[in-house]
Amino acid sequence: MNLPKVSIIIPVYNAGCYFEKCLDSLINQTLKEIEIILVIDCPTDGSDKIAEFYCSIDNRIKLIYNEENLHTGLSRNRGMNIARGKYIGFHDHDDYCEPNMYELLYQKAEQEKLDVVRCNFSCIYTNKTDSENKIEKYNYPSTPTNTSDKEWIYENVSNGNISCVIWNHIYNTDFLRHHNIIFLDSRSICSEDSLFFLEVYHSNTHKVGIVPEYLYYHIFHATNTGKIYDYRSIKNRISFFEELYVFLRQNEIGENKCLTFLSEHVIKSLYTGSRQALLLFPLKRAITEIRYIKKSRLIKKCINFLYKKENSSILLHLKPTIIAFSLILKLSTKK
């Protein structure tokens, strides 16, 4: 039996009404030599039954059952462990793609001997009060073909020019395994896909290709994982920034440059997390959540960096409410 050209890995939790459209878009790909690995992550809404039905009508679908809820990071790793395709793609259970997406990405990778190929994508914002969904198209800036300076990636990530998404890519399987690029446990850290993205691009910026068509549709709705506090808790946000800081320092990005990349985003993220905690929980619980901020040396370092005279332009660039929040953190983290 011929090996698949692309293995597509999808963690499945409570995909709801979006799941069938996701699977239909995959089983109808013009590239037929694919395998679709569904990692069933203890759903409670019947998504597992839908997965089993599609598996019964398409033998390219493989099912893995998690014994406990592992969330997206470790679920994707389980899929990667059994993937047989020359390339691996990741897909969210509530998104969908054009029928020629994986064929175009695969052809680009093969023709130009690339390790990573991405396409442009569209974000669809669902709103039950509107008759039509809001759609925004997203273009990637071109990656310099001659760069050996990985700071290009970090700077563009830092200023928002690059979104660290992984689902509009395919990755050479041998490349991922050679560099041991896997996902962290998303039960204790958020934005694990951003760290995966940065590891991929740090390891290889000169063998990355772009298919300019808009081939992937990312759905934003009320129950997106990224909107759930348990995933984007203050503690998990801090874990992400600490991992990112270690990654940058290990890859020879200087301390001052690291803090320039991180500080503004740290304050914005912690402000959002604190506001969410105050809205969701009783005051005592919310304060307990917010106190995690004081335990992090990195957060204190970022706050002190922002309040240095030479960095005042970064601080003044923030909204007044976030500046006020940063001042409270500054006063509360003093010894």
Side-chain angles (χ1 to χ4, degrees):
M1 181 179 178
N2 292 331
L3 293 176
K5 293 176 178 176
V6 180
S7 298
I8 305 164
I9 299 167
I10 309 103
V12 179
Y13 181 53
N14 289 348
C17 62
Y18 304 95
F19 193 29
E20 291 188 34
K21 187 170 185 176
C22 165
L23 292 176
D24 286 337
S25 74
L26 294 175
I27 65 174
N28 291 308
Q29 286 292 302
T30 55
L31 182 67
K32 301 303 180 185
E33 302 91 337
I34 61 175
E35 67 174 352
I36 302 165
I37 301 172
L38 303 180
V39 187
I40 312 301
D41 195 29
C42 306
T44 60
D45 71 340
S47 293
D48 52 334
K49 302 304 179 186
I50 295 173
E52 288 163 1
F53 170 74
Y54 274 81
C55 183
S56 72
I57 63 173
D58 194 322
N59 61 13
R60 298 173 301 171
I61 296 178
K62 307 292 185 292
L63 303 182
I64 301 176
Y65 291 87
N66 292 342
E67 293 183 1
E68 60 178 312
N69 187 221
L70 296 180
H71 296 197
T72 55
L74 298 186
S75 293
R76 286 175 178 143
N77 289 346
R78 292 200 71 199
M80 290 168 67
N81 287 339
I82 70 162
R84 299 180 302 122
K86 183 173 181 179
Y87 300 90
I88 287 175
F90 302 101
H91 203 288
D92 281 1
H93 64 192
D94 44 8
D95 295 344
Y96 64 96
C97 57
E98 292 289 345
N100 59 345
M101 172 175 163
Y102 288 101
E103 182 173 17
L104 292 177
L105 295 179
Y106 175 81
Q107 288 176 348
K108 180 80 171 180
E110 287 292 285
Q111 289 168 2
E112 300 184 22
K113 308 299 180 187
L114 302 169
D115 288 333
V116 183
V117 181
R118 66 181 183 242
C119 62
N120 289 317
F121 62 90
S122 300
C123 291
I124 300 178
Y125 298 86
T126 62
N127 189 336
K128 292 182 179 179
T129 62
D130 293 338
S131 58
E132 294 184 2
N133 295 326
K134 179 183 176 183
I135 301 176
E136 291 184 358
K137 291 189 172 183
Y138 190 98
N139 279 295
Y140 271 95
S142 297
T143 307
T145 56
N146 61 346
T147 184
S148 59
D149 181 5
K150 302 301 188 283
E151 290 188 12
W152 183 90
I153 295 292
Y154 307 141
E155 287 171 359
N156 278 271
V157 169
S158 176
N159 63 28
N161 286 343
I162 293 180
S163 179
C164 296
V165 297
I166 60 167
W167 23 249
N168 61 327
H169 292 64
I170 61 170
Y171 312 85
N172 183 283
T173 304
D174 289 339
F175 161 75
L176 293 179
R177 290 173 177 165
H178 174 74
H179 292 282
N180 193 32
I181 301 175
I182 59 174
F183 293 90
L184 296 178
D185 186 347
S186 50
R187 294 172 297 183
S188 57
I189 188 171
C190 67
S191 302
E192 78 291 343
D193 47 355
S194 296
L195 294 169
F196 181 95
F197 176 99
L198 286 173
E199 283 199 62
V200 165
Y201 278 77
H202 180 86
S203 299
N204 192 353
T205 56
H206 65 283
K207 295 185 74 175
V208 175
I210 303 173
V211 173
E213 287 85 355
Y214 296 87
L215 302 174
Y216 191 94
Y217 299 89
H218 183 59
I219 311 298
F220 284 91
H221 54 84
T223 56
N224 277 116
T225 300
K227 294 183 178 180
I228 298 171
Y229 183 81
D230 283 350
Y231 173 69
R232 298 193 66 82
S233 67
I234 291 171
K235 188 175 182 181
N236 286 4
R237 290 169 188 260
I238 293 171
S239 295
F240 165 70
F241 286 116
E242 289 176 343
E243 284 285 345
L244 180 55
Y245 174 79
V246 169
F247 174 81
L248 294 172
R249 295 295 284 129
Q250 286 177 341
N251 289 290
E252 300 179 351
I253 302 300
E255 176 79 355
N256 193 67
K257 183 73 76 172
C258 272
L259 296 177
T260 301
F261 291 153
L262 293 178
S263 294
E264 179 180 347
H265 298 284
V266 165
I267 294 302
K268 286 180 178 179
S269 180
L270 293 180
Y271 170 78
T272 301
S274 299
R275 186 173 181 272
Q276 191 176 11
L278 287 166
L279 291 172
L280 284 174
F281 305 125
L283 184 59
K284 185 176 180 181
R285 165 74 189 280
I287 291 173
T288 299
E289 291 289 318
I290 294 169
R291 279 179 177 162
Y292 281 116
I293 296 173
K294 295 181 67 174
K295 299 178 182 179
S296 172
R297 292 182 180 178
L298 173 62
I299 303 306
K300 184 175 182 180
K301 191 179 292 189
C302 287
I303 294 166
N304 289 336
F305 178 83
L306 282 174
Y307 276 88
K308 287 183 177 179
K309 185 177 180 180
E310 60 269 28
N311 300 322
S312 59
S313 60
I314 301 175
L315 188 64
L316 295 176
H317 176 68
L318 302 173
K319 293 180 179 179
T321 51
I322 300 177
I323 294 173
F325 174 75
S326 70
L327 181 59
I328 293 169
L329 292 185
K330 171 71 173 171
L331 296 173
S332 66
T333 53
K334 279 188 175 182
K335 287 187 178 180

